[in-house]
Amino acid sequence: MSETSRTRTGDRDIFPADEAEADDAFLIERSRREPEVFAGVFHRHAPEIKRYVTRRLGADAAEDVVADTFLAAFRGREGYDPSQPSARPWLYGIATNLIRRHKRVEVRQLRVLERTGVDPVTVPFTERSDERLSAGAVRRRLAAALARLPAGHRDVLLLVTWGGLTYVEAAQAMDIPVGTVRSRVNRARSKVREELGGVDPTSVSEETFHE
C-alpha cells in the first residue's frame, strides 16, 4: 500500500481502499460516520450466517433471525472492538443469541431431520463444516443426538462444526473462556459419538452428507 493511498485519523492509519479489500473492523469503524458502508459487512457475511441459521432453524425462521442479526449488529456497531479484524465471531454470537429465542423451533427442525434425513441447506457452505457430517441413518441419528444436547453445548459444538469457527472465535462469539468452549465441545462430541455408535461426528465426508 503506497503512502498516497492512506490518510491518517488521530493515531490510527485509515486506508481508503476498495471495500472488498478492507477488513471488517475498517468497514464498521467507517460506518459509524457513513452508515451505508455497513452494507459491505452485510454482503460479506450474510450468506454464511443465513446458511448456518437455516441449518439450525429451517428456512422460515432463518429469514427473520438473519435480518435481526444484522440489525442488532448495525445498532451495536459503536461497541465493536476495532482490534478484531474479522466480524465473524461477533456476528455468529449475535445470531446464536437470537437462535436461543427459537429453542423449540430448533428442536423441531432437528426432529424433522431425524425423521427425514433431509438437510435444509442444499449447498455446502464450507468444506470444513460439511465434511464433518454424514448422510442417511447416521445423519438422522446425529440430529436426534443434537436435539438432546444442552443448549449451551449444542451452541458451541455447532459454531465449531457447522459455523467453522475456531475455539478462540467460538469463545469470542459466546463471550465465554476458551477452556469452557473446549470442555463443552469435548462433552458434546462424546455424547454424539456415543449416540452414533462410536462414529466421530466431525470426521465424515462432505460427499456422504450430501448423498
Side-chain angles (χ1 to χ4, degrees), residues 49-200:
I49 297 294
K50 183 177 180 179
R51 286 189 290 265
Y52 174 74
V53 178
T54 299
R55 177 156 282 163
R56 293 193 63 171
L57 298 181
D60 292 341
E63 292 288 345
D64 289 339
V65 169
V66 172
D68 288 345
T69 294
F70 283 91
L71 178 59
F74 178 78
R75 290 174 172 172
R77 68 192 189 283
E78 292 289 344
Y80 184 77
D81 181 358
S83 69
Q84 301 298 321
S86 173
R88 288 181 74 242
W90 181 55
L91 294 170
Y92 271 104
I94 295 172
T96 299
N97 286 331
L98 291 171
I99 287 171
R100 286 179 173 178
R101 301 179 185 177
H102 299 265
K103 181 179 179 180
R104 291 182 180 178
V105 175
E106 179 177 25
V107 172
R108 185 165 63 245
Q109 178 67 25
L110 288 169
R111 296 303 185 192
V112 170
L113 179 56
E114 179 186 0
R115 291 195 307 270
T116 67
V118 177
D119 180 22
V121 179
T122 59
V123 293
F125 38 110
T126 67
E127 289 184 3
R128 290 185 60 197
S129 58
D130 281 352
E131 70 185 5
R132 297 179 175 127
L133 301 173
S134 63
V138 173
R139 188 191 309 161
R140 290 189 279 271
R141 287 157 56 198
L142 173 59
L146 291 174
R148 284 193 282 270
L149 288 176
H153 290 63
R154 183 167 60 242
D155 286 340
V156 293
L157 178 65
L158 297 185
L159 283 171
V160 170
T161 56
W162 289 2
L165 299 188
T166 66
Y167 284 7
V168 171
E169 289 173 334
Q172 293 171 350
M174 301 304 300
D175 194 24
I176 58 178
V178 176
T180 301
V181 171
R182 293 184 184 279
S183 175
R184 290 181 181 179
V185 169
N186 288 339
R187 290 178 182 178
R189 280 177 169 161
S190 177
K191 291 180 180 179
V192 173
R193 187 182 297 113
E194 181 179 355
E195 190 75 24
L196 298 181
V199 176
D200 185 347

